[in-house]
């Protein structure tokens, strides 16, 4: 292939003795953009003709080798030179080309390295083909070269999972020819090139290798396992198919087929949704109100309450290097909290996530237990996780106000209560924030950072910093009943209850949502969380319930019989002998039949699709209200909340992305139709109506940084 493209200077070419060094400089991650491909191709041609150069090294400038194709270019039509052709050209070189890898070689980056004749890595380097997480497959020979190099089984382990492996494992697998002792990647590459030249090492082209044959059953088993895990996501399954093709066809045919499969997935909704999730992940912490604001110091934290949440929060903080002082009401409660934390930490040790040495340090030094609030005097941040009762919380915050040092961040883990009201009992409302963790708090990734009216920007930044330290996905939320996630959950659960009473059963609704891609249906989740929690909330809210709201009694009838879900072995499902997966409880159907009879409800016929439409319409409508009111800054904040906290399938991109794909007009029409039966519940969000009338999408709002009134909320600070 000849290069007639204009160079952009993103890949340099320098001779180091008889070795040509090509350095890719495309900050921040050396993605293989069009400009980089153009330059690399030109340099390969130059190397081929450069009589002085006996070998070439490709190396990345900055922190990484190459992190893959430029994902932002995927939205545009593919332009030449295409990556697979460029990599073929590298491989076809008549002189040795060596990839010298540091940081990461991912996706197209690893594929480019596989096109080289040799690969050397420095310690700490990682390689992998993570395309599957973007809803695509490796599209530049990865599915054809990797199995030829490492064997089908290893490729089946790596490609459908997108797993990254370290340099030592990569060498053991045969991906790296050497792991250098040098820290400097260029030096490592030059040393390796020297030995290639001096020993006249023959060129090794992955496309020409033959992997040991495996039985066809290996692919059948891999496909079955991957299909089950993928829960509707296509790309992992297509990865298996592409690797299988490598076992059956010539390299050239395999490449053609891989391209076809790649292009098909690249134009799929699933790829769009997963790309949206990729960029949304990175946008969550980019907020005007904390732009350039430094977080406060965070070394030692306090946790008040060592129950389900407090013990989990303490565990997560301790495992990530923070010192924790935990406060409980009495010595017995402290002992229980300590036992829970020790069990959690022990579990992490068993799973190999933590060393026994660290466990000892955590339990003997990093964790302090006390019944005296004065022990919190040195804490940089305190998270309150006591009972969900506004009076108890107010008392706690009054005490915190007295004992905490100036500048300490005072946080509440409340699920629903008013953070402004809690802040108001202190003399420092600017230091008060909501940090809403999810159960189990040391495992669940989501953290809602709830910003109250007076919360200072550096306190918000500190909330995000705590999330980072604890490896959480932090999402900014505003104050309302349930913040982003629980508020939306309450609405779609109410829609589900109406479906159950009018037309269906909890089991059918759960099935529909499992088919949609959720790991559990809403009723199985309710059993897990404990039905008594919802019961208590319903009782608390009864006095203020709007008379126009349809109220269903079946869940109360269940609780009255002591069926609280898994913890009582009975709820919507029956859990025999402590089983975690239950079988449908037939008595629930009897209770439902009675409710219908008492209220003269004639059962309707709803298809699975109609059930799904109602469920999603309720979710999207409430989510739109949440964005409209500024509780979520952008639609993407809702999407990530639902993905990380509520099991929404990532490959659908979250409810707002899903709504864009379905069409906002269709969803709005559905809402208007349902409103004919229940106008109170199905009140369309103004934002949804506005978007439909202007032909815009939630994606457009993301691109604009949120809806305009909302942006003001964030910018005012
Ligand atoms: N293309 C375009 N932009 C990318 C990118 C890519 N492949 N990878 C990362 N970026 C961008 C991020 O969006 C981010 O941009 P902003 O600063 O504007 O938000 C910036 O680079 C830094 O990324 P991170 O914040 O993620 O930085 P990090 O240091 O935490 O992680 C990383 C670095 C490990 C490389 C991580 O970014 C990553 O995993 N990237 C994606 C890798 C990937 O999926 N590669 C496969 C691409 S598809 C492909 O290659 C197809 C093919 O077969 C041809
Ligand atoms: P829990 O009942 O398991 O634990 C509460 C603990 O607080 C008890 O151990 C109690 O002894 C202690 N406590 C009560 N008053 C205290 C005081 N004045 N000083 C010190 N300790 C005190 O409750 P859970 O489930 O841990 O909930 C705690 C908070 O977290 C609540 O606000 C809840 O809404 C919220 N939350 C709960 C979630 C869950 O799934 N359980 C999820 C997210 C938030």
């Amino acid at each position: 292939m000849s290069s007639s493209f204009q160079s952009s200077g993103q890949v340099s070419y320098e001779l180091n003795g008889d070795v040509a060094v090509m350095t890719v400089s495309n900050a921040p991650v050396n993605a293989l953009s069009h400009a980089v491909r153009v330059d690399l191709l030109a340099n390969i041609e130059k190397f081929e003709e450069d009589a002085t150069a006996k070998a070439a090294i490709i190396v990345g400038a900055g922190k990484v080798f190459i992190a893959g194709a430029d994902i932002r270019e995927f939205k545009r039509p593919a332009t030449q030179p295409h990556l697979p052709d460029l990599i073929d050209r590298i491989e076809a070189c008549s002189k040795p080309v060596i990839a010298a890898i540091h940081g990461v070689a991912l996706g197209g980056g690893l594929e480019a390295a596989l096109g080289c004749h040799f690969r050397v890595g420095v310690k700490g380097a990682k390689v992998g083909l993570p395309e599957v997480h973007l809803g695509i497959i490796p599209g530049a020979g990865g599915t054809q070269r990797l199995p030829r190099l490492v064997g089908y089984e290893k490729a089946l382990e790596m490609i459908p999972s997108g797993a990254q492996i370290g340099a030592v494992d990569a060498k053991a697998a045969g991906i790296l020819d050497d792991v250098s002792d040098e820290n400097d990647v260029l030096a490592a590459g030059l040393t390796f090139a020297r030995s290639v030249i001096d020993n006249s090492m023959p060129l090794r082209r992955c496309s020409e290798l033959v992997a040991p044959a495996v039985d066809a059953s290996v692919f059948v088993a891999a496909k079955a396992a991957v299909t089950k895990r993928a829960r509707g996501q296509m790309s992992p399954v297509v990865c298996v198919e592409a690797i299988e093709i490598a076992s059956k066809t010539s390299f050239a045919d395999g490449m053609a087929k891989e391209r076809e499969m790649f292009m098909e997935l690249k134009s799929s909704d699933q790829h769009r949704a997963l790309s949206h999730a990729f960029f949304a992940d990175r946008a969550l912490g980019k907020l005007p109100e904390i732009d350039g604001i430094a977080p406060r110091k965070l070394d030692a934290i306090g946790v008040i309450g060592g129950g389900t949440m407090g013990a989990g929060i303490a565990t997560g903080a301790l495992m990530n290097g923070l010192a924790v002082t935990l406060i409980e009401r009495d010595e017995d409660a402290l002992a229980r909290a300590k036992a829970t934390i020790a069990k959690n930490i022990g579990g992490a040790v068993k799973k190999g996530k933590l060393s026994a040495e660290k466990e000892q340090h955590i339990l003997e030094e990093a964790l302090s237990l006390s019944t005296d609030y004065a022990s919190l005097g040195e804490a940089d941040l305190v998270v309150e996780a006591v009972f969900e009762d506004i009076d108890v919380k107010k008392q706690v915050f009054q005490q915190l106000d007295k004992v905490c040092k100036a500048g300490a961040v005072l946080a509440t883990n409340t699920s629903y209560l008013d953070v402004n009201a809690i802040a108001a009992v202190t003399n420092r409302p600017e230091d008060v924030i909501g940090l809403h963790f999810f159960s189990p708090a040391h495992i669940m990734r989501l953290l809602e950072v709830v910003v109250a009216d007076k919360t200072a920007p550096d306190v918000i930044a500190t909330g995000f910093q705590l999330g980072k330290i604890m490896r959480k996905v932090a999402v900014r939320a505003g104050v309302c009943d349930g913040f982003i996630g629980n508020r939306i959950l309450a609405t779609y659960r109410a829609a589900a209850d109406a479906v159950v009473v009018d037309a269906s059963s909890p089991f059918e609704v759960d099935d529909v949502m499992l088919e949609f891609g959720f790991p559990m249906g809403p009723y199985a989740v309710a059993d897990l969380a404990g039905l008594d929690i919802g019961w208590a909330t319903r009782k608390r809210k009864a006095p203020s319930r709007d008379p126009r709201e349809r109220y269903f009694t079946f869940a109360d009838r269940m609780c009255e019989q002591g069926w609280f879900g898994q913890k009582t072995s009975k709820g919507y499902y029956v859990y025999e002998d402590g089983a975690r997966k239950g079988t449908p409880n037939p008595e629930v159907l009897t209770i439902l039949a009675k409710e219908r009879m008492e209220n003269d409800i004639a059962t309707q016929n709803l298809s699975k699709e109609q059930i799904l439409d109602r469920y999603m319409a309720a979710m999207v409508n409430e989510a739109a209200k949440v964005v409209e009111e500024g509780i979520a800054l952008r639609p993407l904040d809702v999407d990530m909340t639902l993905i990380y906290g509520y099991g929404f399938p990532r490959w659908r991109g979250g409810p707002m992305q899903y709504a864009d794909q379905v069409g906002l007009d269709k969803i709005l029409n559905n809402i208007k139709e349902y409103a004919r039966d229940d106008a109170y519940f199905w009140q369309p969000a103004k934002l949804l109506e506005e978007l439909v009338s202007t032909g815009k999408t939630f994606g457009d709002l993301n691109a604009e940084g949120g809806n305009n009134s909302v942006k003001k909320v964030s910018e005012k600070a």
Side-chain angles (χ1 to χ4, degrees), residues 27-29 31-32 63-64 66-74 83-84 104 106-109 111 128-131 133-134 136-142 164 259 262 278-279 282-283 286:
V29 296
L32 291 160
K63 285 197 210 148
V64 302
I66 296 170
D70 188 333
I71 302 166
R72 287 162 308 187
E73 284 184 1
F74 284 174
L83 190 56
V104 293
L106 297 178
E111 291 175 297
L129 294 170
E131 286 87 343
H133 300 310
L134 294 168
I136 50 177
I137 62 168
Q164 297 177 24
R259 188 82 189 148
F262 171 81
F278 178 88
F279 289 111
R282 283 154 184 81
K286 289 182 185 152

Side-chain angles (χ1 to χ4, degrees), residues 536-556:
T537 309
R538 290 194 294 279
K539 284 188 211 161
R540 174 166 64 84
K541 290 190 174 168
S544 57
R545 191 175 299 129
D546 193 295
R548 290 169 297 172
E549 184 185 332
R550 278 185 83 187
Y551 188 77
F552 307 108
T553 56
F554 62 93
D556 296 345

Side-chain angles (χ1 to χ4, degrees), residues 592-606:
L592 276 168
K594 196 155 175 257
E595 177 155 7
R596 287 188 197 111
M597 210 172 66
E598 284 167 1
N599 295 288
D600 277 339
I601 296 170
T603 329
Q604 298 170 29
N605 247 332
L606 290 186

Side-chain angles (χ1 to χ4, degrees), residues 269-416:
D269 280 348
Q270 293 200 3
H271 165 61
R272 272 186 286 278
L274 285 162
S275 292
H276 160 71
F278 178 88
F279 289 111
D281 270 338
R282 283 154 184 81
L284 288 175
K286 289 182 185 152
L287 306 172
E289 66 198 325
I290 55 170
D291 190 17
I293 304 274
R296 295 184 186 175
K297 175 168 121 22
L298 256 186
D299 296 322
I301 72 161
V303 175
I304 307 178
T308 308
M309 293 308 289
I313 295 166
T315 305
L318 288 162
M319 283 182 53
N320 289 294
L322 293 168
V324 174
T325 302
L326 187 135
I327 306 284
E328 257 293 351
R329 292 182 296 177
D330 52 44
E331 293 297 332
D332 282 354
L334 274 183
R336 277 196 303 275
K338 183 167 185 188
T340 313
I341 294 169
K343 194 170 158 227
N344 292 342
I345 303 271
V349 175
K350 262 193 212 139
K351 284 186 194 146
K353 288 187 186 164
L354 208 71
S355 68
E357 246 178 313
K358 282 223 170 103
E359 177 185 34
Q360 193 182 1
H361 165 77
I362 286 174
L363 296 177
E364 289 172 14
E365 288 170 52
L367 172 66
S368 322
L369 302 160
S370 175
T371 52
D372 182 2
Y373 276 62
S375 318
L376 295 172
E378 286 312 307
D380 301 313
L381 177 149
V382 178
V383 189
E384 162 281 306
V386 303
F387 303 130
E388 184 77 344
D389 177 318
I390 191 76
D391 294 328
V392 179
K393 304 240 186 227
K394 283 181 177 172
Q395 278 167 22
V396 168
F397 273 77
Q398 276 161 350
Q399 272 175 287
L400 288 179
D401 199 15
K402 285 192 196 120
V403 301
C404 288
K405 65 182 180 189
V409 173
L410 311 183
T412 172
N413 181 49
T414 178
S415 307
Y416 293 94

